[in-house]
Amino acid sequence: MASKLLWASRAASYLRISLFHRGFATVIKDLKYAESHEWVKVDGNSATVGITDHAQDHLGDVVYVELPEVGASVKQGEGFASVESVKATSDVYSPVSGKVVEVNKELDSSPGLVNASPYGNGWIMKVEMNNKDELNSLLDSDQYSKVCEEETH
């Protein structure tokens, strides 16, 4: 199943070579966003973090994700992982501070999940937040959509 998803992701990326730039990215209403193109889904003190559809679209086919260590401390705005694509390697910045409580081990064997399902199966880490006030400095879906529009024009 994972190899089919990876193949589908590669095929989808191949078919939308820059001739047909989508011009828009999927943005989910209930998430918070960092200007550096990470998203956060908050559940109590727990935050699930990944990169946005806009980010994965600009990266192209993801071939490797360097995951943080479980138990590591992350700080808002600081790098915690990197995503390697056929085009480039990009750092991923934590939108919140806290302790890494889980990482998405699926990405070790199926890094293409970041492309195929950036807001679902392509999540990168779960963090136990130590300062929920940091969420106030993040963007809502409308604000983030504007950031994406400005970048594509």
Side-chain angles (χ1 to χ4, degrees), residues 53-101:
D53 183 44
H54 181 81
Q56 72 78 24
D57 189 47
H58 282 270
L59 279 169
D61 289 341
V62 173
V63 294
Y64 178 72
V65 179
E66 181 187 328
L67 298 168
E69 295 288 322
V70 171
S73 290
V74 293
K75 277 199 166 119
Q76 186 178 46
E78 292 188 2
F80 72 88
S82 63
V83 175
E84 191 176 317
S85 73
V86 292
K87 293 182 188 175
T89 298
S90 297
D91 287 331
V92 183
Y93 301 94
S94 186
V96 294
S97 299
K99 186 172 96 177
V100 178
V101 292

Side-chain angles (χ1 to χ4, degrees), residues 2-112:
S3 62
K4 281 184 182 173
L5 274 177
L6 186 58
W7 181 87
S9 160
R10 284 197 177 131
S13 294
Y14 177 75
L15 293 173
R16 62 166 195 259
I17 303 175
S18 41
L19 293 174
F20 304 106
H21 187 71
R22 294 186 300 170
F24 67 89
T26 303
V27 176
I28 308 290
K29 283 269 182 239
D30 299 336
L31 303 179
K32 289 288 205 172
Y33 298 88
E35 284 194 34
S36 51
H37 304 292
E38 294 82 16
W39 58 264
V40 183
K41 181 179 184 180
V42 177
D43 182 12
N45 255 9
S46 176
T48 303
V49 177
I51 66 168
T52 65
D53 183 44
H54 181 81
Q56 72 78 24
D57 189 47
H58 282 270
L59 279 169
D61 289 341
V62 173
V63 294
Y64 178 72
V65 179
E66 181 187 328
L67 298 168
E69 295 288 322
V70 171
S73 290
V74 293
K75 277 199 166 119
Q76 186 178 46
E78 292 188 2
F80 72 88
S82 63
V83 175
E84 191 176 317
S85 73
V86 292
K87 293 182 188 175
T89 298
S90 297
D91 287 331
V92 183
Y93 301 94
S94 186
V96 294
S97 299
K99 186 172 96 177
V100 178
V101 292
E102 188 179 346
V103 296
N104 188 352
K105 287 291 190 192
E106 287 278 313
L107 298 179
D108 287 340
S109 59
S110 302

Side-chain angles (χ1 to χ4, degrees), residues 91-143:
D91 287 331
V92 183
Y93 301 94
S94 186
V96 294
S97 299
K99 186 172 96 177
V100 178
V101 292
E102 188 179 346
V103 296
N104 188 352
K105 287 291 190 192
E106 287 278 313
L107 298 179
D108 287 340
S109 59
S110 302
L113 288 171
V114 170
N115 297 116
S117 181
Y119 300 114
N121 296 334
W123 63 276
I124 296 173
M125 72 171 175
K126 294 188 180 181
V127 176
E128 188 179 291
M129 293 183 291
N130 56 20
N131 183 359
K132 286 184 79 169
D133 290 343
E134 288 178 338
L135 296 170
N136 298 329
S137 67
L138 299 175
L139 307 174
D140 66 22
S141 58
D142 292 336
Q143 292 166 319

